[in-house]
């Protein structure tokens, strides 16, 4: 308890610059933790939605029926969004270019590639901020440490007889800034690496689905063209 009180006193009696550094780092840590919690929920939901949709898609359901089910929902994201964009574009182009399967598939794949890019961008929301916090927080804390130590030595030079007790509080408060910087950076780096890996896995799943779905639509386009 005494150690906690002494640390609190050091923070309260730190110089204005060091206190500003600590406040910035604490704010960055709070915001990054809020984003970590939000991203974790969003990615877990995306993974679960992907699994459910794949089970539904490969169950043998009629694609037109599945499209109607997906379109009936207000908010569609992830793999469902790719399916909706691809099937909608395929149906639209197939009406006017039934004898040209290559033209139909080119437009369909382009629509799904655009949808894939948007979904990946949505999944990567907040990740740049976590990367920034993880990379610059130690340096911000180091700045506060350097500033506090510099002030301690300036004060030391103004007295004739120097003792360790005179500089110890200033150095201690300066080192607290570095500790807070690491406290903000470490969770942000861990979360960024973990989330980036999960986004990459989802992106690969989306890309594989786009290719497999395009093959299915291509067979339908060729079959319809041959029958005409």
């Amino acid at each position: 308890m005494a150690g906690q009180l002494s640390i609190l006193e050091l923070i309260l009696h730190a110089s204005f610059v060091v206190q500003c550094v600590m406040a910035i780092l604490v704010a960055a840590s709070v915001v990054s933790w809020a984003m970590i919690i939000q991203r974790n929920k969003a990615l877990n939901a995306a993974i679960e939605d992907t699994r459910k949709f794949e089970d539904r898609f490969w169950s043998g359901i009629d694609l037109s029926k599945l499209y109607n089910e997906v379109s009936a929902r207000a908010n569609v994201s992830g793999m469902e969004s790719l399916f909706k964009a691809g099937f909608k574009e395929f149906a639209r182009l197939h009406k006017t270019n039934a004898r040209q399967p290559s033209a139909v598939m080119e437009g369909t794949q382009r629509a799904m590639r655009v949808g894939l890019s948007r979904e990946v961008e949505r999944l990567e929301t907040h990740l740049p901020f976590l990367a920034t916090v993880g990379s610059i927080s130690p340096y911000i804390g180091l700045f506060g440490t350097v500033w506090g130590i510099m002030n301690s030595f300036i004060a030391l030079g103004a007295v004739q007889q120097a003792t360790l007790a005179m500089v110890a509080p200033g150095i201690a408060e300066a080192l607290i800034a570095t500790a807070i910087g690491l406290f903000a950076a470490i969770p942000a780096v861990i979360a960024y690496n973990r989330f980036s890996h999960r986004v990459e896995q989802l992106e690969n799943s989306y890309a594989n689905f786009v290719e497999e779905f395009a093959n299915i639509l291509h067979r339908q386009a060729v079959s319809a063209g041959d029958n005409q």
Side-chain angles (χ1 to χ4, degrees):
M1 191 60 154
Q4 294 179 355
L5 291 175
S6 64
I7 292 176
L8 180 60
E9 291 176 358
L10 289 172
I11 294 174
L12 294 176
H13 292 89
S15 64
F16 176 75
V17 173
V18 176
Q19 286 182 338
C20 288
V21 168
M22 293 178 182
I24 292 172
L25 292 173
V26 170
S29 180
V30 171
V31 174
S32 65
W33 271 107
M35 291 182 176
I36 288 170
I37 295 172
Q38 189 275 334
R39 275 297 87 194
N40 187 60
K41 291 181 179 179
L43 292 176
N44 285 341
I47 292 172
E48 181 64 17
D49 291 343
T50 297
R51 184 189 62 79
K52 290 181 179 179
F53 179 77
E54 283 185 319
D55 291 342
R56 185 68 169 155
F57 181 83
W58 295 111
S59 65
I61 186 175
D62 182 73
L63 295 182
S64 297
K65 180 181 179 181
L66 181 59
Y67 174 76
N68 291 332
E69 291 180 2
V70 172
S71 299
R73 289 195 286 273
N75 296 321
V76 179
S77 61
M79 199 171 284
E80 288 185 341
S81 177
L82 301 179
F83 168 78
K84 181 180 178 181
F87 193 86
K88 181 178 180 180
E89 189 68 9
F90 175 81
R92 186 183 70 83
L93 293 175
H94 189 63
K95 291 180 180 179
T96 57
N97 300 279
R99 296 181 180 273
Q100 298 178 333
S102 60
V104 174
M105 292 312 304
E106 181 179 351
T108 301
Q109 289 177 319
R110 183 167 55 249
M112 288 193 289
R113 285 196 299 269
V114 172
L116 175 61
S117 177
R118 289 175 178 171
E119 287 303 311
V120 172
E121 183 178 356
R122 183 182 64 83
L123 292 173
E124 291 178 341
T125 303
H126 302 324
L127 293 192
F129 180 83
L130 293 178
T132 301
V133 171
S135 61
I136 69 171
S137 291
Y139 295 103
I140 296 176
L142 183 61
F143 169 76
T145 298
V146 171
W147 187 273
I149 293 176
M150 181 184 67
N151 285 339
S152 295
F153 280 107
I154 290 175
L156 187 63
V159 298
Q160 295 181 348
Q161 186 175 1
T163 62
L164 182 60
M166 296 179 60
V167 296
I171 295 176
E173 72 184 31
L175 293 175
I176 292 174
T178 297
I180 297 176
L182 294 175
F183 178 80
I186 292 174
V189 171
I190 294 174
Y192 174 79
N193 291 333
R194 183 185 179 195
F195 293 159
S196 294
H197 178 65
R198 294 169 73 182
V199 169
E200 184 178 356
Q201 288 180 319
L202 282 168
E203 183 178 2
N204 290 336
S205 297
Y206 291 168
N208 291 335
F209 171 77
V210 167
E211 292 299 323
E212 293 169 342
F213 187 39
N215 289 334
I216 294 173
L217 294 178
H218 183 261
R219 288 195 295 268
Q220 290 188 5
V222 171
S223 176
D226 292 341
N227 293 333
Q228 291 185 358

